């Protein structure tokens, strides 16, 4: 009854059916066998879940300026924090946000003319921040771009590409420790340049051994994959693994489920006559790891409702490579 009440999918009875005519010692062994089995199932499932956490990307774009739209975005983030989302990447988020309870943050920016801010909210019950990479600010919420003062950074060189050539494409990066599993992971959030634009050596250093120390790489990014003149579907065909290879990043194989998603994320191009999303730009991908990303979801609607906004995403990251979607229950038996 306890097993069925807790939603156990399969229950194997290891002895003959229960009968009051059985000898008391047989009944005791039967009870013992059932208890051992229930504990074994629960232990395996709990261990499996301890390697998993949820992440989300929120990119309202700098044109999200209406009070109503900004509040809808804040409400969306509030729902994410209430549901225990481990990491929430805020990209081009250029208005205030009260610090969510139980969350710390790391962040950075690129440029000063039209600063490109990136902040990642970190659930302190799931993660500790080991170190920020390069100019990434860690822990001091008041120093995060825009979130407290509503103002952008006065300077920032955390640029994926040369701003004079590719525009301001910011990133923030930090090494985190996932406390339930004890695993360290390097988290990178930001925006890549359009159309295979060249990356700066400092960005390659930061995501390489010098910055991320050879750890698993978790990207929560707007990739701007492929070129617009190639058509929207071209972006769907460029995986994070290919993006890394194109830039000689050396991060190896990646789990990047967005390329298999039927739902594009970019953009709310009202000014171009395309209010619907057409491009598969936004990715949550795990590279240099045996782990995987699954349950990748694209939010059904644009939240702020402004021009060029992206649809927000969420996903589950598994650092150990097991799957929450396809659990081999037979192995437990």
């Amino acid at each position: 009854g306890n097993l069925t009440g807790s939603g156990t999918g399969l229950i194997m009875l290891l002895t003959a059916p229960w009968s009051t005519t059985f000898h008391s010692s047989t009944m005791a062994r039967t009870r013992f066998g059932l208890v051992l089995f229930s504990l074994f199932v629960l232990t395996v499932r709990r261990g499996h879940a301890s390697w998993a956490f949820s992440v989300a990307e929120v990119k309202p774009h700098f044109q999200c300026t209406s009070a109503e739209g900004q509040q809808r975005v804040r409400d969306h983030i509030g729902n994410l924090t209430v549901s225990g989302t481990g990491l929430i990447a805020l990209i081009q988020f250029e208005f205030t946000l009260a610090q969510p309870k139980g969350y710390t943050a790391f962040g950075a920016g690129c440029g000063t003319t039209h600063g490109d801010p990136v902040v990642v909210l970190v659930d302190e019950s799931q993660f500790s921040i080991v170190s920020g990479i390069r100019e990434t600010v860690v822990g001091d919420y008041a120093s995060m771009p825009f979130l407290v003062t509503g103002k952008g950074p006065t300077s920032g060189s955390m640029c994926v590409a040369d701003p004079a050539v590719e525009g301001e494409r910011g990133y923030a990066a930090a090494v985190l420790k996932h406390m339930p599993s004890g695993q360290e992971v390097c988290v990178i959030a930001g925006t890549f340049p359009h159309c295979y634009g060249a990356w700066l050596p400092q960005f390659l250093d930061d995501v390489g051994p010098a910055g991320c120390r050879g750890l698993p790489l978790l990207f929560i990014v707007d990739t701007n994959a492929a070129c617009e003149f190639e058509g929207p579907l071209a972006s769907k065909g460029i995986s994070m693994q290919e993006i890394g290879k194109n830039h000689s990043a050396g991060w190896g194989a990646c789990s990047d489920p967005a390329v298999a998603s039927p739902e594009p994320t970019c953009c709310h191009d009202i000014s171009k006559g395309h209010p619907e999303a057409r491009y598969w730009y936004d990715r949550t991908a795990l590279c240099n790891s045996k782990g995987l990303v699954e349950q990748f979801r694209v939010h059904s609607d644009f939240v702020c409702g402004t021009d060029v906004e992206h649809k927000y995403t969420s996903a589950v990251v598994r650092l150990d490579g097991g799957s929450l979607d396809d659990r081999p229950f037979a192995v437990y038996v």
Side-chain angles (χ1 to χ4, degrees), residues 151-262:
K151 298 178 181 179
T154 56
S155 63
S157 62
M158 294 290 283
C159 305
V160 176
D162 184 349
V165 178
E166 303 292 347
E168 292 164 329
R169 310 290 175 183
Y171 72 101
V175 173
L176 307 184
K177 182 176 182 179
H178 180 239
M179 293 188 291
S181 67
Q183 173 73 57
E184 289 189 350
V185 59
C186 193
V187 179
I188 305 101
T191 303
F192 295 168
H194 284 270
C195 203
Y196 311 102
W199 293 350
L200 288 172
Q202 79 160 35
F203 177 68
L204 288 168
D205 287 344
D206 287 350
V207 300
C212 286
R213 309 193 331 247
L215 293 168
L217 305 173
L218 175 58
F219 291 94
I220 312 171
V221 292
D222 170 9
T223 64
N224 283 314
C227 301
E228 287 190 34
F229 68 78
E230 296 176 289
L233 283 175
S235 60
K236 193 176 191 292
I238 304 295
S239 68
M240 280 294 295
Q241 186 168 326
E242 291 180 77
I243 291 171
K245 186 177 180 180
N246 288 339
H247 294 276
S248 302
W251 57 49
C254 299
S255 174
D256 178 16
V259 294
S261 170

Side-chain angles (χ1 to χ4, degrees), residues 30-103:
T30 302
R31 291 193 187 99
F32 184 65
L34 287 173
V35 171
L36 275 180
F37 177 71
S38 64
L39 288 175
F40 180 59
V41 172
L42 290 173
T43 299
V44 171
R45 293 180 70 179
R46 186 179 295 112
H48 186 89
S50 69
W51 289 81
F53 56 90
S54 58
V55 303
E57 179 194 319
V58 175
K59 186 169 183 177
H61 199 265
F62 60 79
Q63 294 189 65
C64 182
T65 56
S66 73
E68 295 83 1
Q70 291 177 356
Q71 189 56 50
R72 286 194 296 271
V73 178
R74 293 187 187 101
D75 291 343
H76 178 80
I77 294 170
N79 291 334
L80 292 173
T81 60
V82 167
S83 65
T85 305
L87 302 172
I88 306 170
L90 310 179
I91 303 173
Q92 289 186 353
F93 188 103
E94 302 193 2
F95 46 93
T96 59
L97 175 71
Q99 183 172 3
K101 184 178 180 180
Y103 282 76

Side-chain angles (χ1 to χ4, degrees), residues 243-297:
I243 291 171
K245 186 177 180 180
N246 288 339
H247 294 276
S248 302
W251 57 49
C254 299
S255 174
D256 178 16
V259 294
S261 170
E263 298 295 331
T265 61
C266 177
C267 295
H268 199 205
D269 287 330
I270 304 170
S271 61
K272 296 180 180 180
H274 287 285
E276 76 285 3
R278 295 180 297 153
Y279 298 91
W280 280 259
Y281 282 169
D282 298 274
R283 311 291 178 85
T284 296
L286 187 64
C287 304
N288 193 41
S289 171
K290 294 181 180 180
L292 54 84
V293 179
E294 58 188 3
Q295 299 180 29
F296 182 82
R297 302 285 186 267

